Amino acid sequence: MAVTESVTGGTSGGARGAHEGILRRQSARESRARTYARALPIVPVRARGLTIEGADGRRYLDCLSGAGTLALGHNHPVVLEAIRKVLDSGAPLSVLDLATPVKDAFITELFRTLPPGLADRARVQFCGPAGTDAVEAAFKLVRAATGRTGILAFTGAYHGMTTGALAASGGAGDVRVARLPYPQDYRCPFGVGGPRGAELAARWTETVLDDPKSGVPLPAGMILEPVQGEGGVIPAPDDWLRRMRRLTADRSIPLIADEIQTGVGRTGAFWAVEHSGVTPDVMVLSKAIGGSLPLAVVVYRDDLDVWEPGAHAGTFRGNQLAMAAGTATLAHVRENALAERAGLLGARMLTQLRALQNDFTCVGDVRGRGLMIGVELVDPEGEELPADAEERAQERAAREATTAQEARAAGAAEETRARGGGGAGAAVRGAAVSGWEGEARPVPRPAAPELASAVQRACLERGLIVELGGRHAGVVRLLPPLTITDEQATAVLDRLADAIAAVARDPAAHGAVPRPAPTPDSDPPT
């Protein structure tokens, strides 16, 4: 408790009472579907940058950032100024899809940031205010453009909560989308990880597309996340992403990049696809593009623009305040090279966090890209793979290191030629990817969601807000604003390390007790 008081400040009885009263009323009146409020029982009343102050007077470092929405943190001056300017001008706040100076400025700034090869021939569709609506619009668009219906998606994906977006996500219950393996190192679906695992995943995809008996007709599109966020912060290998681009282009399958969480500098490039030099046919964008306010768009190649008037609409697609805030955010990130800073700072944070793997056996993996970071908690007593499997994995990694490096160089050169140059920057940015290429792949242990939840609670006690993700909610996620300072980053890492150490020393004291499996007559866990 001493640590908590020193980092969050004291609280008065009156403030505590108001705080608890609001939480009680929320619990009594809001839906059981609420999520963040369950794990983070705070009542924010003021915020600036990385810091949130609750109704009880306690202060927190916010590494959730509105699930990645707040690229510049809370209430950044350039965002507030842009909003005030619209309010003071007397401009209409909601304009459906009419043209306005505010919208024109937003589109101009957005197109200025787009990947090469897309900006010069792009069209933009303003959707409803949530990213999931942009995903739905993208599916409708490629189906209309190709005359086909199927969608290819990947295991572990998360694309939203509406019907079509859920069907393409990893937790779909009624499968209407063909599912493909997404490459990862720590829990490789083929048990090998590294370049070999990514190659096997690519071969599987190619087989599904070309085998007339695969049961998967030629699809209308393929959707993927350059870094899976909710799936556990899993960066796509650059070579694999280039392979997906070639596979889809060769078969006239539109490639949809879901940059809802990875975009606007989050991963160390303005758009995460730029690490690999890939230009998708369609991009779905939301979260940070609205500068903290609701906004979602689909950007796509002009030859796909087959919409009939009103084919996809939405009453709130003309949110002028969000467009103004978004323009200010996009310009600030671009003009101040915040994407590049996110890449450098994120690499340093990953290096420091990986030291925790040596100190605590409950830390199974640390991975990420830029300021999109995940720490996977595992059961330190759980059974590992057999020793000979580990040795074989190490031998494979050693044999493939040189070959993989050569293949990456060749792939970058090929992509540069295909795009007519301009790939050198992407190759440099792509060099700092987390993972285990050329190293011994770690032997995974079972996921430990109870430990991850305990670490999240311990972080909150220490004035740090973090999110959980991953297949079993066993990954502690960091999504700090791109404006985080070096000193603040140190404070975040110190508090996270202290929380992990406390839970590792005494899991039971922090409530890290495995949940019993629900019986048919019991309520599901909440």
Side-chain angles (χ1 to χ4, degrees):
M1 184 58 68
V3 173
T4 302
E5 293 174 351
S6 68
V7 298
T8 62
T11 60
S12 67
R16 170 61 65 178
H19 162 91
E20 292 178 348
I22 292 172
L23 290 180
R24 281 197 302 272
R25 289 189 290 276
Q26 180 187 42
S27 179
R29 298 189 294 202
E30 288 192 27
S31 165
R32 282 174 57 86
R34 67 190 188 281
T35 54
Y36 298 110
R38 295 178 183 272
L40 304 171
I42 62 176
V43 180
V45 293
R46 278 175 293 276
R48 187 65 173 251
L50 183 69
T51 304
I52 285 180
E53 182 177 335
D56 58 357
R58 299 177 67 191
R59 293 183 298 278
Y60 303 87
L61 300 181
D62 180 13
C63 280
L64 175 57
S65 299
T69 300
L70 305 171
L72 304 182
H74 294 276
N75 293 323
H76 193 280
V78 302
V79 172
L80 297 182
E81 181 183 358
I83 292 173
R84 290 192 188 102
K85 186 176 179 181
V86 174
L87 293 174
D88 293 343
S89 73
L93 300 185
S94 184
V95 294
L96 300 173
D97 63 356
L98 301 178
T100 71
V102 173
K103 178 193 277 190
D104 184 65
F106 172 78
I107 295 173
T108 299
E109 183 60 40
L110 176 63
F111 278 32
R112 185 178 287 137
T113 71
L114 291 176
L118 183 58
D120 293 341
R121 53 179 308 189
R123 295 289 184 271
V124 59
Q125 164 75 17
F126 287 81
C127 308
T132 188
D133 191 67
V135 172
E136 298 285 354
F139 289 171
K140 287 172 64 174
L141 174 71
V142 296
R143 284 167 172 153
T146 64
R148 304 189 291 264
T149 58
I151 298 292
L152 295 177
F154 291 87
T155 54
Y158 177 76
H159 298 293
M161 294 299 292
T162 52
T163 302
L166 271 178
S169 299
D174 181 14
V175 178
R176 301 177 183 178
V177 175
R179 204 78 49 183
L180 300 167
Y182 191 94
Q184 55 174 307
D185 290 326
Y186 189 62
R187 299 191 186 279
C188 174
F190 304 103
V192 294
R196 180 59 176 162
E199 169 64 19
L200 291 172
R203 288 188 184 182
W204 179 264
T205 299
E206 189 169 13
T207 297
V208 166
L209 289 172
D210 293 343
D211 182 356
K213 295 297 184 181
S214 69
V216 179
L218 191 67
M222 172 191 285
I223 187 168
L224 55 78
E225 299 160 275
V227 181
Q228 286 195 343
E230 301 300 323
V233 192
I234 304 173
D238 291 335
D239 287 343
W240 176 84
L241 193 51
R242 285 189 283 266
R243 182 80 170 272
M244 294 303 100
R245 173 67 285 187
R246 290 194 294 272
L247 288 176
T248 52
D250 290 347
R251 294 158 181 80
S252 298
I253 302 170
L255 178 63
I256 306 168
D258 182 340
E259 291 261 14
I260 291 172
Q261 192 166 91
T262 55
V264 195
R266 169 63 54 190
T267 68
F270 208 100
W271 307 106
V273 291
E274 294 181 285
H275 290 291
S276 58
V278 162
T279 300
D281 303 298
V282 183
M283 294 174 65
V284 288
L285 313 175
S286 187
K287 292 192 184 294
I289 67 162
S292 75
L293 299 178
L295 187 64
V297 302
V298 183
V299 179
Y300 52 91
R301 217 177 55 238
D302 55 5
D303 61 306
L304 297 174
D305 193 24
V306 299
W307 289 123
E308 294 293 333
H312 194 82
T315 301
F316 293 104
R317 65 193 186 278
N319 186 338
Q320 292 264 86
L321 291 182
M323 292 176 195
T327 302
T329 298
L330 294 170
H332 192 80
V333 172
R334 177 180 56 81
E335 293 168 358
N336 293 276
L338 293 187
E340 290 80 356
R341 166 154 172 79
L344 293 172
L345 180 57
R348 291 203 299 269
M349 293 176 72
L350 280 169
T351 298
Q352 295 178 59
L353 286 170
R354 285 187 178 128
L356 298 175
Q357 291 176 267
N358 299 324
D359 298 334
F360 304 106
T361 55
C362 64
V363 177
D365 193 28
V366 176
R367 55 185 178 260
R369 198 157 206 173
L371 291 176
M372 193 171 182
I373 296 171
V375 178
E376 182 161 353
L377 278 295
V378 298
D379 181 357
E381 305 299 325
E383 184 178 354
E384 294 183 335
L385 292 175
D388 60 340
E390 179 181 6
E391 291 170 4
R392 288 197 301 272
Q394 292 174 356
E395 291 170 358
R396 279 193 296 269
R399 286 197 307 269
E400 293 166 356
T402 302
T403 303
Q405 186 175 8
E406 294 171 351
R408 285 195 297 274
E414 178 181 348
E415 188 67 26
T416 300
R417 289 193 297 272
R419 293 171 49 210
V428 172
R429 288 192 298 269
V433 187
S434 77
W436 297 91
E437 293 186 9
E439 304 175 26
R441 188 176 69 89
V443 179
R445 294 180 184 272
E450 69 283 355
L451 290 180
S453 294
V455 168
Q456 185 184 42
R457 289 191 295 271
C459 283
L460 196 65
E461 293 170 1
R462 289 156 175 77
L464 176 63
I465 297 173
V466 297
E467 167 64 326
L468 301 183
R471 304 304 207 270
H472 304 281
V475 178
V476 176
R477 301 181 58 201
L478 298 178
L479 289 167
L482 310 187
T483 52
I484 185 174
T485 66
D486 289 348
E487 294 76 15
Q488 289 173 330
T490 297
V492 166
L493 296 182
D494 286 346
R495 296 181 194 189
L496 176 57
D498 191 61
I500 291 174
V503 172
R505 282 194 304 268
D506 194 349
H510 292 81
V513 178
R515 294 176 178 173
T519 64
D521 297 327
S522 67
D523 292 331
T526 58

